[in-house]
Amino acid sequence: MQPDTHRPRRRTFVLAFAAALVLLLLIGVGVYGLVRGPAPHPASGLPASPDPGRHDAVPSPTPGPLLLTNNPEQFA
């Protein structure tokens, strides 16, 4: 009987095909994530702000002066 010489070539083809399929799947998931955009904020259910540096809400008050102390718990 003659040995099967096509077996290694077939195995290489199947592995290359599987690797290409996984790569295409990862690219597809990445493109979908880029097209979909950021997820909404979980607490409010509203879409994420396009400009996180700009807030229309009232700014929080500035903290008071820091008192000098040697007590680390009071400082914290």
Side-chain angles (χ1 to χ4, degrees):
M1 287 210 149
Q2 201 173 21
D4 189 11
T5 58
H6 296 290
R7 189 121 173 109
R9 188 176 293 168
R10 178 188 249 181
R11 185 179 302 149
T12 304
F13 175 75
V14 170
L15 287 175
F17 182 76
L21 189 65
V22 168
L23 183 64
L24 286 175
L25 183 67
L26 287 174
I27 289 172
V29 169
V31 169
Y32 172 75
L34 288 173
V35 169
R36 185 173 174 267
H41 192 273
S44 67
L46 299 174
S49 172
D51 184 9
R54 182 174 170 249
H55 298 286
D56 293 333
V58 177
S60 62
T62 57
L66 187 60
L67 302 175
L68 294 176
T69 180
N70 289 333
N71 185 352
E73 288 187 19
Q74 186 180 6
F75 177 79

